[in-house]
């Protein structure tokens, strides 16, 4: 059985129980910057579009240049596509006034706001090093070791649910920073990471505090990664409910939003595609992501959607990472005429 298929069966096991493992427990860290948000639904998106048919009308009354925001969606290993998009936008001199990221989008977005060039991000993502740090041990081995982790519970050691603790991933993120204690408030561009609070079922933006921990919380995929305690919250992957944070970018003050959706295009499939084990589960996840992405994408002024078809969310293959990177570059190149026209109209952010 392939690790990806096994993970899908684990996700489905949430319905009847949970999987526990003993690993590093992320300490609670103080933050006064957790802001409640809501993902847009279709009704809200349609209403927004009806009010925004004329861009000039939406920007009436602005005394300064419109603020341009960048929304980077979640998508695991497909995150290399974000780097490809940023390479093209950076080459064109397109600048952003704020960035909001979900899951892997928070990682790429956080480093971008820190001042890391897309070319510097290319090698870590194309080599699949980021995903290997995300899952330090192959899933199959981690699952086989679960009986040994259960022993620790007899001695009173109880960690949160999840196969991986997150320490290695956080350390890997911090290793790429100029200082290990980067605060979000210190970033060159205003930034927020989208997270989901398991305790109250609400979505939150992390806008201040320790950058690497905010990224780690936004990437805490249920079952795969342990949730991250922040104050009175228990944060998990924001992609559960808000995978493409366009509305959240507007809440950060953006008048114009360019969004990057790296999920697989949801297209009609032949019935034979659903005979292999795990195929139905993968299709269900793809449908869910497409459903929550749609209204958010409708609120973007420019939506860039690289073709990531066939790239698993948890792939550690270099070929997949390279393909995602090139897909990002291609999609951004195709979107350039519309982006140039938009920025010319609103007088915004190019060198």
């Amino acid at each position: 059985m392939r690790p990806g298929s096994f993970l899908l069966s684990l996700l489905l096991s949430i319905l009847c129980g949970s999987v526990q493992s003993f690993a590093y427990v992320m300490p609670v860290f103080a933050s006064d910057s957790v802001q409640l948000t809501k993902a847009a639904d279709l009704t809200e998106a349609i209403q927004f579009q009806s009010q925004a048919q004329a861009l000039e009308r939406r920007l009436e009354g602005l005394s300064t240049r419109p603020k341009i925001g960048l929304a980077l969606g979640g998508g695991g290993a497909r995150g290399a596509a974000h780097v490809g998009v940023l390479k093209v936008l950076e080459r064109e001199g397109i600048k952003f006034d704020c960035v909001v990221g979900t899951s892997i989008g928070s990682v790429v977005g956080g480093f971008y706001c820190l001042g890391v060039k897309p070319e510097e991000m290319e090698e870590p993502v194309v080599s699949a090093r980021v995903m290997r740090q995300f899952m330090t041990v192959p899933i199959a081995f981690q699952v086989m070791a679960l009986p040994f982790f259960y022993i620790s519970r007899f001695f009173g050691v109880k960690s949160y649910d999840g196969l991986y603790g997150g320490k290695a991933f956080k350390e890997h993120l911090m290793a790429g920073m100029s200082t290990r204690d980067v605060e979000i408030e210190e970033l060159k561009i205003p930034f927020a990471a989208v997270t989901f609070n398991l305790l109250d079922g609400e979505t939150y933006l992390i806008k201040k505090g320790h950058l690497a921990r905010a990224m780690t919380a936004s990437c805490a995929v249920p079952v795969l990664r342990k949730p991250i305690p922040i104050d009175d919250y228990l944060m998990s992957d924001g992609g559960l409910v808000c995978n493409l944070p366009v509305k959240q970018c507007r809440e950060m003050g953006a008048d114009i939003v360019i969004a990057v959706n790296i999920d697989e295009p949801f297209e009609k499939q032949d019935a034979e595609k659903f005979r292999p084990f795990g195929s139905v589960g993968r299709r269900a996840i793809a449908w869910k992501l497409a459903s929550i992405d749609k209204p958010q994408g409708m609120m973007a002024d420019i939506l860039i959607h690289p073709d990531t078809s066939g790239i698993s969310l948890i792939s550690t293959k270099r070929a997949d990472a390279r393909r995602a990177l090139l897909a990002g570059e291609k999609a951004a190149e195709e979107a350039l005429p519309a982006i140039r026209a938009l920025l010319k109209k609103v007088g915004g952010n190019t060198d």
Side-chain angles (χ1 to χ4, degrees):
M1 183 186 302
R2 293 186 302 173
S5 298
F6 196 91
L7 177 61
L8 286 166
S9 64
L10 282 174
L11 289 171
L12 295 175
S13 75
I14 294 175
L15 297 174
C16 57
S18 62
V19 179
Q20 294 280 349
S21 67
F22 172 62
Y24 175 81
V25 179
M26 186 76 73
V28 174
F29 70 96
S31 171
D32 61 354
S33 61
V34 176
Q35 174 185 318
L36 180 68
T37 184
K38 293 278 188 183
D41 58 21
L42 277 174
T43 301
E44 183 178 2
I46 292 171
Q47 182 180 21
F48 174 85
Q49 286 191 328
S50 68
Q51 295 172 346
Q53 290 178 354
L55 183 63
E56 292 83 359
R57 190 189 318 154
R58 176 149 51 95
L59 300 178
E60 279 179 1
L62 289 179
S63 58
T64 58
R65 171 188 62 75
K67 292 184 178 180
I68 314 297
L70 177 65
L72 299 177
R78 303 164 189 160
H82 283 319
V83 178
V85 170
L86 286 174
K87 283 180 65 179
V88 174
L89 300 184
E90 181 91 353
R91 183 199 70 204
E92 295 294 313
I94 297 169
K95 306 296 182 183
F96 295 97
D97 298 293
C98 64
V99 177
V100 180
T102 297
S103 200
I104 191 64
S106 76
V107 175
V108 176
F111 276 108
Y112 178 75
C113 292
L114 185 61
V116 178
K117 298 292 184 182
E119 290 77 12
E120 297 176 73
M121 299 186 219
E122 182 173 351
E123 192 280 328
V125 297
V126 171
S127 67
R129 195 191 324 152
V130 172
M131 287 304 296
R132 285 198 294 271
Q133 291 296 328
F134 187 80
M135 299 181 296
T136 50
V137 178
I139 292 176
F141 294 157
Q142 192 79 350
V143 171
M144 287 188 289
L146 282 177
F148 298 99
F149 295 141
Y150 268 111
I151 296 175
S152 64
R153 301 182 67 81
F154 291 107
F155 297 96
V157 180
K158 295 182 179 180
S159 64
Y160 290 116
D161 181 27
L163 292 174
Y164 299 91
K167 180 180 179 181
F169 185 58
K170 180 171 73 71
E171 292 290 332
H172 177 69
L173 293 176
M174 289 193 297
M177 300 178 184
S178 55
T179 172
R180 296 173 64 84
D181 295 316
V182 175
E183 300 290 312
I184 294 175
E185 308 93 297
E186 301 169 359
L187 298 178
K188 298 180 179 181
I189 304 171
F191 169 76
V194 180
T195 57
F196 174 73
N197 181 24
L198 292 170
L199 304 183
D200 63 8
E202 299 287 358
T203 310
Y204 293 87
L205 293 176
I206 302 178
K207 299 169 62 177
K208 294 182 180 179
H210 197 276
L211 176 60
R213 288 175 181 171
M215 293 174 174
T216 306
S218 187
C219 291
V221 181
V223 178
L224 192 61
R225 295 283 305 284
K226 298 179 185 298
I228 308 299
I230 299 177
D231 291 347
D232 296 327
Y233 309 90
L234 190 60
M235 297 303 199
S236 190
D237 194 309
L240 285 170
V241 287
C242 184
N243 197 50
L244 186 62
V246 177
K247 177 184 172 183
Q248 289 62 40
C249 215
R250 297 196 183 280
E251 291 174 349
M252 289 280 287
D255 302 299
I256 303 296
V257 178
I258 297 175
V260 186
N261 180 356
I262 58 172
D263 283 327
E264 288 184 295
F266 192 80
E267 300 171 341
K268 187 174 181 178
Q269 298 283 344
D270 185 83
E272 290 301 311
K273 294 278 188 179
F274 302 104
R275 295 191 184 278
F277 181 83
S279 58
V280 173
R282 283 193 296 272
R283 182 66 166 174
I285 291 173
W287 172 82
K288 179 62 177 176
L289 290 172
S291 297
I292 63 176
D293 289 343
K294 182 177 180 179
Q296 293 278 113
M298 290 169 63
M299 296 184 71
D301 295 284
I302 300 288
L303 179 61
I304 302 174
H305 196 170
D307 185 2
T308 56
S309 300
I311 300 176
S312 167
L313 291 166
I314 57 171
S315 174
T316 56
K317 298 177 181 178
R318 295 187 181 187
D320 283 346
R322 167 61 64 179
R323 185 155 66 86
L325 180 88
L326 295 176
E329 292 180 1
K330 181 175 184 291
E333 293 282 2
E334 292 172 350
L336 277 179
I339 295 174
R340 291 191 187 112
L342 174 64
L343 295 183
K344 182 178 180 181
K345 181 182 293 186
V346 302
N349 292 10
T350 56
D351 288 339

